Amino acid sequence: MPRCTAAPVDISDKDARVLQALERRHNAPQGLVKRAQIILLAAHGVGVRATAERLGIGRATVQRWRRRWSSAAATESALERLVDAPRPGTPPTFSPEQICSILALACEPPKRDGQELTHWTHADLAAEAIARGIVESISPDSIGRFLREADLKPHRTRGWINTP
């Protein structure tokens, strides 16, 4: 009984060099490294099952990336072919520009409704961002998340930037 064999994967010398360089990079995301290894093994004629066993991943994963590589346009670079597909879900609520404006606001001297404050609170920053028209609405929790991600702690630092 004949065994099913995977369709051959052809890669150019340039793509092979890019994939080998990616595979050797120490700071490369491991998902990209695994994908590069899948394609390099496929180019050397290694089958789906052997690739899955060698890399310690599922056969479906090997098949998926071999198929994506083969169906991608040849004009795309090797890295573009290995990138994840967009994930489903809701789009971001706040644009990067809005987040940057909120972070810049947190770095300003704390002033709300003409009164100087000792420090910014998340609620004060949210109210000021709405008052300035940066966003239509935002919760203090979202402000706190943005500050944590940027490693800004205006409410914990003595004197923060400017105190009266």
Side-chain angles (χ1 to χ4, degrees), residues 5 7 14 50 79 107 130 132 138:
T5 58
K14 178 183 175 188
L79 293 178
C107 294
I130 293 168
R132 290 191 184 185
I138 190 167

Side-chain angles (χ1 to χ4, degrees), residues 11-108:
I11 63 173
S12 67
D13 291 338
K14 178 183 175 188
D15 286 342
R17 283 191 303 274
V18 170
L19 294 176
Q20 288 166 351
L22 177 65
E23 186 180 26
R24 286 190 305 267
R25 275 185 33 205
H26 295 288
N27 61 349
Q30 288 305 297
L32 282 178
V33 171
K34 285 280 189 205
R35 296 169 199 159
Q37 291 171 335
I38 290 168
I39 301 307
L40 287 170
L41 289 171
H44 286 103
V46 179
V48 172
R49 183 175 304 210
T51 300
E53 288 173 2
R54 188 180 296 184
L55 298 178
I57 56 178
R59 288 186 311 169
T61 302
V62 175
Q63 290 169 335
R64 176 184 314 116
W65 286 105
R66 287 175 67 121
R67 185 174 51 252
R68 281 192 190 177
W69 181 271
S70 297
S71 65
T75 58
E76 291 181 0
S77 72
L79 293 178
E80 289 173 338
R81 290 175 162 192
L82 296 180
V83 173
D84 272 331
R87 302 275 178 159
T90 60
T93 307
F94 303 105
S95 70
E97 291 81 13
Q98 289 173 317
I99 295 170
C100 287
S101 296
I102 290 169
L103 295 176
L105 174 63
C107 294
E108 292 179 9

